[in-house]
Amino acid sequence: MNDKTLIVKKAGEALSACDDSDVTVFVGHDRTGANDHPPVGANPGLIPRVPGLEADVSAGPDATVIVDSVSPSGQMPRPREAVHFEPSTSREGAVTKTIIKGRFELDKLLGVGGMGAVYKALDRRKLEASDSDPYVAIKLLNEDFQKHPDAFISLQREARKSQTLAHPNIVTVFDFDREGDRVFMTMEFLEGAPLDKLLREHADVGLEKERAASVLRDVSQALIYAHSHKIVHSDFKPGNIFVTGKKGAKVIDFGIARAVSEGGVASKAGEKTIFDAGTLGALTPAYASFEMLKGSEPQPCDDVYALGCVAYELFSGRHPFGKVPADKAFEQKLKPKRIRALSRRQWRALEAALAFQRSQRTATVERFVQQFFGKTGWKWAFGGLIVAMLVAGGVGYTHLEQENAAEQQRVKVELEKKLQRELLERRIADKREAINRLLGLSVLTPSWERDLRVELKEYTALNPQDTRFPASVHRQVSELFIAASTGQLTLGNLEPAEEMLGRAASWNENVDGADTIRAQLAQEREELRQRLEDERIAAEREAERQRQEEIRAQQRLAAQEKQRQINLVLDDMEGALRCDFGMQISAIGGALRRLASVDGAKAQVLRPVIAEELTSCFAGLAQKNPERTEVLVKEARTLLPSQSQLAQFDIDYCAHLRPGSGARGDRYTCADPMASGGNGPEMVVVNGAAGRPLAVGKYEISNAEFTRFCQAKGSCGNGDLEIGTLPVHSISRTQAEQYIQWLSTETGRHYRLPSETEWFAAASANGQEEVSDRNCYLRYGGIEKGLELVPVNSGTANPFGIVNAVGNVQEWVVGIDQQLIAAGGSRQDAMSRCLATSKTLHSGDPDEVTGFRVVRDLMR
């Protein structure tokens, strides 16, 4: 059912179909059970099914589903063979409540759109805080949408864009989160009705005019605000407008909203290069512009077309083209029927918004609002005509028409005069309102000044006896220019200051604080310039016009060619910025150099954006493979050496490992690169104190590792270091600490001796038994152990992947009171006393049975 939607009526009523892909489906609340019928052709994957909150609906892929209430039992019949979605639940008495993240208690299903379902939910945190409004709305991805590879990113982008758009006429988004496979977004809970429902209730007539104008103003302001943040809604329609009782109209669902391009570069860093929600194809054909249906890049004027369709429905109750998509309407040469309730000015504004071609369509919502609401027009003329017609009809209503003709004519004339007076008074009031609105803008541009003069001239023509109001306006405008002149003088801009003084004088000759001499000089200079200009213009006007036209044509061609080249470069750059280990940093550099040759300023602006995008990408890749990520980071730093994000980016080679995974193999160990070459000790990750992840040496520090330190710092004077695979011993704690400090400097990480608690947790694998082949003293049945030290990598690793934690050499750890302890027993200790719990105080002096291993904290 792609273009038809069933409307589920109250119990006992038949199901009916309507040919409208943007219909809202309402489920009535008179569901007694006896006469309930399951919907025919319902889309079972459309609504994530939650226990106790099922809704019996049918909807096309673009429909919005609103559930008024549930049945007396608290449930609605489930769609047959529904693929369901089960959040975590809890039972309180006999009532099953659905809880998400242990916080949001789902109350009832509010609606379903193309991406998922929206539920009313009780926020338990707000309830605990005694919030007067503890309810929120939660949007969950439906199962069909979750199968899309970019589904998770889509809802995150919607949340991010909606959070960016903090406006009274845009629904407020609180947070974006997930629980297991469930992805959801929390928003403010609104009470009211969607506009598509209100329009169906007023089909073919539209809303009451004042209410329609109010809704149009609200949603227009929302779009103006979104466009000011470089975001186009891209799916604006009645189903995405919610009319509340107290908060006006609000625009919802920025699910496929996209950033407006400036030369092809998304204004939000990284938005276009990684994900574009428009690829989900969630357009509504009846409200999509001609260009959007053809796959063009979205522009604000595309939202203008959708706004024009909505405005037409608000005032007429029907779609301007009968829901025919713009491309088909253009081919059929359809034209919207004139709405008689609108003034000529308003109708011209609406016609321009509904133009199929961008070149003919109103460019911005702000311009549409100015054209539509800027002047009141003759909106009372129709009322006067109707009253006159009623009076004229009343003349012949009775059989005494001939006898009362003269009286009826007199009454008619008086009524017409009264209506004309009322119309004049209304026009005067509207003109005053328009003038006051212009004064409130205070933009002081030439076009603003021209508009204000035109409005004043028309007001004077309508109300010539009122001289006080025009004089007041002249005084206010003069004061605005005086204030602007004062500001320019403060900045030292004398010529603009003199210009502002001249403009102030044009509104009020008695300008307080103006310099009389400067004003006279400015006037003489202006008169002389004007005389010379008049003489020159007569001879050069035509030649100058032609020359300027040629220059403009050349500039347009040059700008178009430059933009084409920029777009080609940016397309290549988007492909090169795909975040994976195979990404070509050199291709990004080549694209940057090409862009710099076309537009150096744009390339310079784009460098930090690319650096931020790469840094974000590397952070994710480092969690998969730090070594491969490091290669990409070095290439990026070479390409963008002055970008601090890349210069400061640090990869922890152990941070990607899960605690306790060290025994699974070499892939689950790590080693930090050293400045002088090679790597530091091989490490595994375990849970340290208070459950924080900790990197621990997989082996005891060997003679070979300590010898490298000795060679870098000078001879250590220890002959036993020749056997590189044995654990280092017969060194002092001071020497061990010197080695640890050298290792920290070489790797850029903070290494240290483990605490007693950390060492025990790692050595015992959180309380498990010691490995049986540990190198402790044993003589039994011809078996001898512990007679000599064994290589650090011999023996069985414990469940955390740590080798020789117990036995071989006892290891230095730091006790609770910072005393030095030798833990884990040595080869000289009997097997029965050679345990993870074995420990003894140690002086730190050298001996042949004491060594150490290192630990360090992780970057998280």
Side-chain angles (χ1 to χ4, degrees):
M1 296 181 66
N2 293 326
D3 58 359
K4 288 182 180 286
T5 303
L6 293 178
I7 300 179
V8 183
K9 296 187 175 180
K10 294 185 179 180
E13 297 185 16
L15 299 172
S16 63
C18 60
D19 188 8
D20 187 347
S21 62
D22 190 48
V23 163
T24 303
V25 179
F26 292 93
V27 180
H29 57 273
D30 260 348
R31 305 188 60 117
T32 59
N35 295 320
D36 288 347
H37 302 284
V40 179
N43 180 359
L46 186 61
I47 307 174
R49 202 173 74 186
V50 179
L53 296 171
E54 289 79 3
D56 187 4
V57 299
S58 302
D62 294 326
T64 301
V65 181
I66 302 297
V67 179
D68 292 335
S69 63
V70 297
S71 64
S73 64
Q75 287 187 308
M76 294 184 181
R78 298 184 178 184
R80 292 173 294 180
E81 300 180 358
V83 179
H84 64 276
F85 176 109
E86 299 284 355
S88 57
T89 60
S90 65
R91 298 191 64 85
E92 299 180 9
V95 179
T96 300
K97 295 186 177 180
T98 303
I99 310 298
I100 294 181
K101 297 288 282 190
R103 174 176 178 178
F104 301 107
E105 180 180 312
L106 299 191
D107 182 32
K108 68 177 181 180
L109 178 65
L110 296 177
V112 172
M115 290 171 59
V118 180
Y119 294 87
K120 177 182 179 182
L122 177 66
D123 186 345
R124 290 183 169 182
R125 298 295 176 271
K126 287 188 175 184
L127 191 63
E128 292 170 2
S130 300
D131 194 311
S132 61
D133 185 11
Y135 287 97
V136 298
I138 289 186
K139 183 171 187 175
L140 300 175
L141 285 182
N142 63 46
E143 293 184 358
D144 289 344
F145 198 80
Q146 288 184 64
K147 296 175 183 177
H148 193 284
D150 293 325
F152 177 85
I153 305 176
S154 178
L155 194 60
Q156 189 272 341
R157 286 291 187 268
E158 179 181 355
R160 175 174 161 187
K161 291 168 184 170
S162 299
Q163 287 172 327
T164 300
L165 303 177
H167 189 272
N169 299 117
I170 299 177
V171 66
T172 302
V173 172
F174 299 134
D175 199 6
F176 165 77
D177 206 346
R178 71 185 306 163
E179 182 183 44
D181 294 334
R182 293 186 295 274
V183 181
F184 65 93
M185 180 172 68
T186 54
M187 305 169 286
E188 66 174 319
F189 174 66
L190 302 175
E191 293 184 319
L195 181 59
D196 55 355
K197 175 184 177 183
L198 297 178
L199 290 175
R200 276 193 299 278
E201 294 173 353
H202 297 79
D204 294 326
V205 294
L207 304 185
E208 188 270 332
K209 189 173 183 180
E210 292 301 324
R211 189 180 186 190
S214 176
V215 172
L216 182 58
R217 285 180 187 273
D218 287 348
V219 299
S220 296
Q221 293 304 316
L223 290 177
I224 290 172
Y225 184 79
H227 292 173
S228 72
H229 283 65
K230 309 299 182 185
I231 292 178
V232 179
H233 191 287
S234 298
D235 194 24
F236 187 76
K237 59 183 179 180
N240 284 337
I241 300 171
F242 199 86
V243 183
T244 69
K246 299 180 180 179
K247 299 180 180 180
K250 287 180 177 274
V251 178
I252 64 175
D253 197 355
F254 276 81
I256 65 166
R258 285 181 278 180
V260 180
S261 296
E262 295 179 354
V265 181
S267 57
K268 294 289 182 184
E271 189 87 344
K272 282 189 66 178
T273 59
I274 302 300
F275 173 75
D276 185 355
T279 61
L280 300 178
L283 293 175
T284 303
Y287 298 88
S289 68
F290 181 90
E291 293 79 11
M292 291 289 285
L293 292 171
K294 297 301 182 182
S296 299
E297 188 73 13
Q299 295 292 334
C301 63
D302 297 315
D303 282 349
V304 172
Y305 178 82
L307 178 63
C309 293
V310 172
Y312 193 97
E313 289 188 79
L314 282 169
F315 291 99
S316 70
R318 59 186 180 275
H319 189 277
F321 305 111
K323 293 298 177 75
V324 175
D327 52 353
K328 299 296 189 298
F330 178 74
E331 293 173 1
Q332 299 173 21
K333 298 182 180 181
L334 299 182
K335 292 185 178 181
K337 184 178 181 181
R338 169 72 186 271
I339 300 176
R340 296 300 178 184
L342 299 181
S343 67
R344 283 180 294 176
R345 177 190 178 97
Q346 291 172 328
W347 176 244
R348 287 196 300 270
L350 187 54
E351 272 190 317
L354 291 172
F356 294 123
Q357 302 293 334
R358 281 179 178 172
S359 60
Q360 301 175 2
R361 191 184 312 140
T362 305
T364 65
V365 176
E366 185 174 11
R367 182 59 180 164
F368 168 74
V369 170
Q370 292 174 351
Q371 293 174 344
F372 192 90
F373 292 104
K375 295 182 180 180
T376 304
W378 295 82
K379 61 184 179 180
W380 294 105
F382 293 105
L385 179 60
I386 293 172
V387 172
M389 292 174 63
L390 290 174
V391 172
V395 172
Y397 185 74
T398 67
H399 65 282
L400 300 177
E401 178 180 359
Q402 292 181 348
E403 298 179 1
N404 296 324
E407 180 64 19
Q408 293 284 357
Q409 183 63 27
R410 184 186 64 79
V411 172
K412 176 181 178 181
V413 171
E414 290 181 357
L415 285 175
E416 289 177 346
K417 290 181 178 179
K418 180 180 178 181
L419 290 174
Q420 289 176 359
R421 287 194 302 271
E422 291 177 352
L423 176 60
L424 178 60
E425 291 172 358
R426 183 58 186 173
R427 291 180 62 196
I428 291 172
D430 290 343
K431 193 61 63 179
R432 286 179 70 109
E433 180 182 352
I435 292 171
N436 287 329
R437 184 164 55 250
L438 284 172
L439 287 175
L441 295 175
S442 303
V443 291
L444 303 186
T445 62
S447 60
W448 171 83
E449 194 173 4
R450 286 195 301 270
D451 290 345
L452 190 57
R453 289 188 185 278
V454 170
E455 296 292 348
L456 272 175
K457 182 178 180 180
E458 293 179 359
Y459 177 84
T460 302
L462 291 172
N463 194 14
Q465 65 273 18
D466 182 6
T467 58
R468 295 181 61 184
F469 178 68
S472 173
V473 172
H474 278 260
R475 184 176 64 257
Q476 292 181 61
V477 176
S478 177
E479 291 173 353
L480 290 173
F481 280 119
I482 288 294
S485 176
T486 303
Q488 293 292 344
L489 286 174
T490 303
L491 297 173
N493 301 327
L494 297 182
E495 290 188 2
E498 289 182 354
E499 179 189 354
M500 292 298 173
L501 283 173
R503 292 169 70 179
S506 69
W507 286 91
N508 186 358
E509 295 181 357
N510 299 319
V511 181
D512 294 335
D515 188 340
T516 304
I517 297 177
R518 184 188 301 171
Q520 291 175 349
L521 289 175
Q523 182 177 359
E524 292 176 1
R525 186 165 56 249
E526 176 63 20
E527 290 175 353
L528 176 60
R529 187 198 66 78
Q530 189 62 50
R531 286 196 302 272
L532 295 175
E533 185 71 5
D534 292 341
E535 294 172 0
R536 184 182 62 83
I537 288 176
E540 298 180 356
R541 180 178 296 166
E542 183 61 25
E544 180 64 18
R545 186 191 65 78
Q546 294 179 357
R547 188 177 69 85
Q548 291 297 331
E549 183 62 31
E550 291 176 358
I551 292 174
R552 284 193 294 271
Q554 294 173 358
Q555 290 175 341
R556 284 195 299 270
L557 290 175
Q560 291 173 359
E561 176 59 23
K562 180 179 179 181
Q563 188 60 55
R564 187 187 68 82
Q565 295 179 14
I566 290 174
N567 290 341
L568 290 175
V569 174
L570 293 177
D571 289 342
D572 293 343
M573 190 174 295
E574 281 196 30
L577 277 171
R578 187 176 303 277
C579 185
D580 54 42
F581 289 112
M583 67 190 306
Q584 298 294 320
I585 303 297
S586 59
I588 300 174
L592 268 177
R593 289 188 293 273
R594 287 166 53 202
L595 181 61
S597 67
V598 178
D599 191 331
K602 192 176 294 293
Q604 197 64 27
V605 170
L606 197 59
R607 285 176 172 269
V609 176
I610 294 175
E612 181 179 349
E613 196 66 39
L614 288 174
T615 301
S616 176
C617 171
F618 294 156
L621 294 179
Q623 295 297 318
K624 301 176 182 177
N625 192 315
E627 290 80 5
R628 296 180 68 184
T629 304
E630 181 66 28
V631 175
L632 296 175
V633 171
K634 290 180 180 178
E635 292 183 27
R637 287 171 177 165
T638 302
L639 173 63
L640 302 169
S642 61
Q643 298 303 317
S644 60
Q645 305 101 308
L646 289 171
Q648 297 170 5
F649 182 73
D650 191 14
I651 297 178
D652 189 330
Y653 277 69
C654 296
H656 69 290
L657 297 177
R658 296 184 62 180
S661 62
R664 298 182 183 178
D666 292 341
R667 289 178 53 203
Y668 297 91
T669 63
C670 58
D672 294 320
M674 300 177 69
S676 58
N679 295 321
E682 191 169 354
M683 314 284 283
V684 297
V685 176
V686 301
N687 277 326
R692 292 193 299 271
L694 182 75
V696 181
K698 181 179 181 71
Y699 309 112
E700 300 154 324
I701 297 299
S702 68
N703 283 336
E705 291 171 322
F706 198 79
T707 297
R708 185 175 179 183
F709 157 70
C710 292
Q711 292 171 347
K713 295 296 183 179
S715 176
C716 297
N718 191 328
D720 292 338
L721 296 178
E722 294 178 1
I723 305 177
T725 59
L726 294 181
V728 67
H729 59 282
S730 299
I731 65 170
S732 66
R733 178 187 180 179
T734 299
Q735 290 176 299
E737 293 288 359
Q738 290 172 348
Y739 167 80
I740 291 173
Q741 179 60 41
W742 170 81
L743 179 62
S744 298
T745 302
E746 281 284 313
T747 62
R749 307 295 178 195
H750 178 65
Y751 284 85
R752 56 184 172 82
L753 289 174
S755 69
E756 179 184 356
T757 303
E758 292 169 341
W759 184 92
F760 178 75
S764 66
N766 285 339
Q768 299 191 43
E769 293 183 0
E770 294 82 355
V771 297
S772 60
D773 65 344
R774 58 191 182 277
N775 187 29
C776 299
Y777 184 76
L778 174 66
R779 285 187 177 182
Y780 179 78
I783 298 175
E784 291 186 340
K785 293 181 66 67
L787 298 181
E788 60 183 0
L789 293 174
V790 298
V792 295
N793 59 354
S794 67
T796 304
N798 73 3
F800 283 176
I802 298 175
V803 180
N804 283 326
V806 177
N808 215 21
V809 292
Q810 59 186 5
E811 301 176 12
W812 279 323
V813 299
V814 179
I816 297 176
D817 298 327
Q818 300 302 307
Q819 69 272 33
L820 187 64
I821 297 173
S826 71
R827 66 179 180 81
Q828 296 178 354
D829 291 317
M831 189 70 71
S832 60
R833 297 192 305 275
C834 191
L835 306 170
T837 56
S838 300
K839 61 180 179 178
T840 181
L841 293 175
H842 199 280
S843 65
D845 295 331
D847 62 55
E848 65 179 6
V849 294
T850 305
F852 69 99
R853 71 179 69 225
V854 294
V855 301
R856 73 169 177 85
D857 296 318
L858 297 182
M859 294 173 55
R860 291 291 188 182

